[in-house]
Amino acid sequence: MKITSYLIFNGQAEEAANFYADAFGGKIENLYRYESMPPMPDMPEVPAEFKQKIMHACITFPGGGMSVADTLPADPRSFGDGCMLTVSCDSIAQAEGVYDKLCKGAKKITCELGETFFAKRYAELVDRYGVLWAVMYEEEGSAC
């Protein structure tokens, strides 16, 4: 079994995908735009100005991946409270680099990167897209 995050945006999925690919040292794969979707009777028609938006894209990076998409204008979504994505880094330097990139334009830093009783480095922040992230580095042998 594998659990993968899938983030839904209101028109910013491509910008977010590029941001996360850079932050996590990854690349964007399997990118599909709404213009490539065939007409479907149960789906609302895609507005012309939305045809270039992202219907689905994968971001792969060392140790994992995630997917992103834009929701159609008739179905706006936002990130809910109580949901957080955790980035478990392989080193202090990696945690510092990821944290620095996610902080660019961040809406809120709830816990600055530092040492805690449970991790050598830990931080929490809400990025520019409203996603709550935990960035952490634990020594070998630590459990989640």
Side-chain angles (χ1 to χ4, degrees):
M1 179 182 295
K2 180 180 174 185
I3 296 175
T4 303
S5 62
Y6 202 114
L7 302 178
I8 307 296
F9 295 91
N10 294 314
Q12 306 93 1
E14 187 163 8
E15 180 184 321
N18 286 309
F19 178 74
Y20 296 135
D22 177 60
F24 304 134
K27 64 181 181 176
I28 300 169
E29 299 179 345
N30 300 325
L31 188 146
Y32 299 97
R33 297 187 187 279
Y34 277 103
E35 72 179 355
S36 66
M37 183 175 75
M40 299 171 69
D42 295 339
M43 290 285 295
E45 186 175 337
V46 177
E49 68 276 7
F50 217 77
K51 293 200 183 264
Q52 288 298 307
K53 297 295 182 185
I54 304 301
M55 184 180 79
H56 172 80
C58 295
I59 306 161
T60 58
F61 46 84
M66 62 192 298
S67 296
V68 299
D70 283 309
T71 186
L72 290 172
D75 183 22
R77 306 217 182 156
S78 62
F79 299 103
D81 293 334
C83 179
M84 178 169 64
L85 299 177
T86 301
V87 181
S88 297
C89 297
D90 297 326
S91 67
I92 289 174
Q94 185 180 51
E96 290 170 347
V98 168
Y99 174 76
D100 289 344
K101 288 181 179 182
L102 288 175
C103 280
K104 290 180 182 155
K107 292 182 177 184
K108 184 178 182 182
I109 298 171
T110 55
C111 176
E112 294 208 17
L113 188 67
E115 189 166 346
T116 69
F117 70 94
F118 59 87
K120 288 295 180 185
R121 292 294 180 274
Y122 182 81
E124 287 182 17
L125 64 107
V126 178
D127 74 14
R128 64 175 78 177
Y129 303 104
V131 179
L132 175 59
W133 291 94
V135 178
M136 82 172 3
Y137 167 69
E138 301 172 281
E139 288 185 319
E140 291 294 319
S142 296
C144 67

